[in-house]
Amino acid sequence: RISYLPLDALAWIYLRREDGLQSMGCRRVPSVQSYLVAVTSTGVRRKFFGGEAPFDALFAAIAAARPAVRTGYTKENIAAFGA
């Protein structure tokens, strides 16, 4: 499924990484999954699976196109938008 958000709707974006176990045959191996979490100005949260996408380049492109978007999982952003 393809999903998108217009840049004008974004208020905060951050990277979320989760440790997990992935089944490979009869074994389970540790893995890390990366997600881009986008929060809109109305408070809607969307999680986009990115695999090994170049998130640093994406964050830089969004910051250049729309400097008002907050980036990163920081205390200030958590206080402003909630965890």
Side-chain angles (χ1 to χ4, degrees):
R1 180 174 121 174
I2 296 175
S3 184
Y4 73 93
L5 288 172
L7 281 177
D8 293 342
L10 293 179
W12 178 31
I13 58 171
Y14 62 92
L15 182 62
R16 179 175 173 181
R17 294 184 185 203
E18 295 178 354
D19 293 330
L21 294 174
Q22 193 168 27
S23 296
M24 297 193 88
C26 60
R27 302 186 81 187
R28 295 177 61 91
V29 296
S31 66
V32 176
Q33 292 194 350
S34 299
Y35 302 92
L36 174 72
V37 179
V39 181
T40 67
S41 54
T42 59
V44 174
R45 291 177 191 266
R46 291 215 183 141
K47 185 166 72 169
F48 299 94
F49 175 69
E52 295 302 319
F55 287 112
D56 292 337
L58 177 62
F59 278 37
I62 291 173
R66 188 145 190 272
V69 175
R70 294 186 185 195
T71 59
Y73 196 76
T74 63
K75 290 180 182 178
E76 293 83 14
N77 290 338
I78 294 168
F81 299 99

